[in-house]
């Protein structure tokens, strides 16, 4: 029999705030975390905006000397992990540390560290490259540092699946607990890729919004005048735990994970399959894993990037899976406010799903002004809405055709 897996801790570092209460309050107010990039000169770039974390102070949790050997994506993951673990109230001891694991992914990892050291190599020679380059840049180091900081010696790994990374991490951690290989997992995604070379790459791909003169209205998921996504950064971390473990220590249970699906498009490196086939199969897989019907789902936290292909095809896929219920289920994209946090998106959106069920409020899709005839579902336009939602689905789709869907449920004793 599968073990029930519950959520006991949430942590978030986002362009909307550096903790979950601030992040959630900003979502409810429809605030935007997107602004002009001020970290490097964007004069020659067609895109000059991003969702940036402001006034970040990692020394609150980690010694300054240690921070010098961590890329920013790792610092974001650690910061969010401290918040999530503190909220969970879990006490890590020699008796349980081997049964608590870490599973945090990053789509691009330490690209900022890689780039800065490459410049050192070119300008000052190989002997000046940092001896910490490799442990700072590799994408598994958020997981490594969280396990080191907290002494967590259970299952330990780090997925890389582009913009589906955070959801794959949560889903895989869910399965690890469900099958009994750990009692608790610290899971999610982290990203800090708003650097010049990444901005140039995404810009030249024509994937980004160029609404530079109006940053807060640039990300427009499902809206007719959308012109691409906005890069973002941050981390979203959940503490998942077996129900038995949470109940044994009297933990406050925030929500439950009941379903997880994975699929591949096998179609194109950047474009989704035109008929939404990969998205259809991943949502069906998550529903089957949860043992529920499409009509049981009350809310979908959409991948909703604000690109023409993604929004249109995700809408098509939802219609194929949910049928007439597609027009009744609420569906919103918080990327309209955070931007697209790439490998961290699934983690942050998992946090948003749990809060949605806890608080009885649906986050809106902001900047929704002109409906697109091909995107004709209920996207919770512009204003947060009260809801009695019990079950929420979170979709994540990544370059390379990686798809992940998670299903969260409001916690109820059975």
């Amino acid at each position: 029999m599968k073990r029930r897996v519950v959520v006991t801790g949430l942590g978030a570092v986002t362009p909307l705030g550096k903790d979950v209460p601030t992040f959630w309050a900003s979502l409810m107010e429809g605030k935007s975390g997107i602004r002009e990039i001020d970290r490097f000169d964007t004069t020659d770039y067609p895109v000059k905006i991003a969702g940036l974390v402001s006034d970040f102070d990692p020394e609150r949790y980690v010694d300054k000397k240690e921070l010098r050997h961590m890329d920013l994506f790792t610092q974001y993951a650690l910061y969010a992990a401290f918040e999530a673990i503190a909220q969970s109230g879990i006490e890590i001891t020699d008796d349980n540390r081997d049964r608590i694991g870490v599973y945090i992914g990053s789509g691009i990892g330490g690209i900022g560290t890689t780039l800065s050291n490459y410049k050192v190599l070119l300008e000052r020679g190989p002997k000046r490259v940092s001896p910490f380059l490799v442990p700072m840049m590799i994408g598994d180091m958020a997981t490594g540092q969280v396990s080191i900081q907290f002494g967590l010696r259970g299952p330990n790994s780090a997925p890389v699946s582009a913009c589906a990374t955070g959801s794959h991490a949560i889903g895989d951690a869910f399965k690890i607990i469900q099958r009994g290989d750990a009692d608790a997992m610290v899971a999610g995604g982290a990203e800090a890729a708003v650097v010049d070379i990444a901005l140039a790459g995404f810009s030249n791909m024509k994937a980004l919004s160029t609404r530079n003169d109006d940053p807060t209205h640039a990300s427009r998921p499902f809206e007719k005048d959308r012109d691409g996504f906005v890069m973002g950064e941050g981390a979203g971390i959940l503490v998942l735990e077996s129900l038995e473990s949470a109940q044994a220590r009297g933990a406050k249970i925030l929500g439950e994970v009941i379903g997880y699906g994975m699929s591949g498009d096998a179609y194109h490196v950047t474009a989704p399959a035109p008929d939404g086939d990969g998205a259809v199969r991943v949502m069906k897989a998550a529903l089957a894993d949860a043992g529920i019907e499409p009509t049981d789902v009350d809310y979908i936290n959409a991948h909703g990037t604000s690109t023409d292909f993604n929004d249109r095809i995700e809408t098509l896929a939802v219609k194929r899976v949910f049928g007439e219920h597609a027009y009744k289920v609420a569906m919103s994209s918080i990327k309209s406010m955070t931007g697209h946090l790439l490998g961290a998106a699934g983690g942050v959106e998992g946090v948003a799903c749990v809060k949605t069920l806890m608080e009885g409020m649906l986050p809106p899709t902001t900047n929704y002004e002109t409906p697109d005839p091909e995107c004709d579902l209920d996207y919770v336009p512009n204003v947060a809405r009260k809801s009695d939602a019990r079950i929420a689905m979170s979709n994540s789709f990544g370059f390379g055709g990686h798809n992940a869907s998670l299903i969260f449920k409001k916690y109820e004793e059975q």
Side-chain angles (χ1 to χ4, degrees), residues 22 34 41 69 72 93 104 107 111-112 116 160 162 168 188 257 281 290 304 308 333 362 414:
T22 307
I34 296 165
D41 183 0
H69 303 150
L72 188 57
T93 68
I104 300 171
I111 188 172
S116 61
V160 178
H168 277 138
V257 187
R281 286 185 290 107
D308 177 50
S333 172
L362 303 175
Q414 294 181 347

Side-chain angles (χ1 to χ4, degrees), residues 35-42 48 52-54 194:
R35 61 180 171 83
E36 186 175 348
I37 296 170
D38 54 7
R39 296 179 182 171
F40 54 89
D41 183 0
T42 61
K48 305 176 189 299
L52 300 172
V53 176
S54 300
V194 184

Side-chain angles (χ1 to χ4, degrees), residues 163-181:
C163 305
T165 297
S167 290
H168 277 138
I170 295 168
D172 291 348
F174 160 60
K175 288 298 173 184
I176 287 170
I177 297 171
Q178 196 177 60
R179 66 175 180 255
D181 289 346

Side-chain angles (χ1 to χ4, degrees), residues 283 314-324 326-327 373-377 379:
M283 286 187 274
E314 185 173 12
T315 298
L316 173 63
V318 167
K319 291 178 183 177
R320 288 184 58 191
V321 172
F322 290 84
E324 283 301 310
Y327 293 92
E374 292 192 76
C375 299
D376 58 349
L377 302 179
Y379 302 110

Side-chain angles (χ1 to χ4, degrees), residues 356-402:
T356 294
L357 300 176
M358 288 175 65
E359 305 295 339
M361 292 294 294
L362 303 175
T365 303
T366 60
N367 303 322
Y368 190 87
E369 297 174 354
T370 307
D372 178 346
E374 292 192 76
C375 299
D376 58 349
L377 302 179
D378 173 12
Y379 302 110
V380 194
N382 299 317
V383 180
R385 183 193 304 165
K386 286 186 178 179
S387 167
D388 58 358
R390 292 177 58 252
I391 294 180
M393 171 182 281
S394 181
N395 285 337
S396 295
F397 311 130
F399 283 174
H402 311 294

Side-chain angles (χ1 to χ4, degrees), residues 92-346:
I92 299 161
T93 68
D94 286 341
D95 291 334
N96 68 9
R97 68 176 74 253
D98 292 354
R99 296 286 299 169
I100 305 173
V102 186
Y103 213 115
I104 300 171
S106 179
I108 304 180
I111 188 172
T113 295
T114 306
L115 181 63
S116 61
N117 274 272
Y118 187 60
K119 290 177 180 174
V120 169
L121 174 70
L122 295 179
E123 295 170 2
R124 303 170 65 186
K127 291 184 179 179
R128 306 301 299 203
V129 170
S130 169
F132 295 100
L133 165 65
V134 174
M136 289 176 70
M137 73 178 190
I138 51 180
D140 65 330
M141 200 46 65
T143 288
Q145 287 286 5
V146 170
S147 68
I148 291 167
Q149 291 289 327
F150 292 95
L152 304 176
R153 302 192 305 202
N156 187 293
S157 191
V160 178
S161 50
C163 305
T165 297
S167 290
H168 277 138
I170 295 168
D172 291 348
F174 160 60
K175 288 298 173 184
I176 287 170
I177 297 171
Q178 196 177 60
R179 66 175 180 255
D181 289 346
D183 293 326
M185 295 290 293
V186 181
E191 202 76 88
V194 184
V195 296
D196 49 9
I197 195 168
L199 186 72
F202 279 118
S203 295
N204 292 342
M205 193 187 293
K206 308 296 184 187
L208 301 181
S209 170
T210 56
R211 202 181 290 260
N212 298 310
D213 57 347
D214 191 12
T216 61
H217 296 95
S219 184
R220 312 172 72 85
F222 305 109
E223 205 264 359
K224 185 178 180 181
D225 296 327
R226 63 191 183 275
D227 68 335
F229 75 82
V230 178
M231 290 181 71
E233 61 179 4
I237 302 292
L238 284 71
V239 175
L240 307 182
E241 194 167 354
S242 71
L243 177 61
E244 294 86 350
S245 172
Q247 287 179 328
R249 63 186 188 83
K252 180 180 179 181
I253 296 174
L254 310 179
E256 183 170 2
V257 187
I258 61 171
Y260 172 44
M262 305 170 68
S263 76
D265 277 6
Y267 173 71
H268 190 271
V269 291
T270 58
D275 59 357
D277 175 68
V280 168
R281 286 185 290 107
V282 77
M283 286 187 274
K284 286 184 174 179
L287 291 166
D289 186 49
I292 62 173
E293 299 297 325
T295 51
D296 294 322
V297 176
D298 303 301
Y299 168 66
I300 299 172
N301 189 293
H303 188 56
T305 58
S306 182
T307 63
D308 177 50
F309 275 136
N310 175 87
D311 295 357
R312 183 163 44 82
I313 292 173
E314 185 173 12
T315 298
L316 173 63
V318 167
K319 291 178 183 177
R320 288 184 58 191
V321 172
F322 290 84
E324 283 301 310
H325 186 62
Y327 293 92
K328 300 176 182 175
V329 66
M331 175 170 164
S332 66
S333 172
I334 67 169
K335 292 183 179 77
S336 57
M337 295 168 274
T338 62
H340 188 355
L341 275 58
L342 309 176

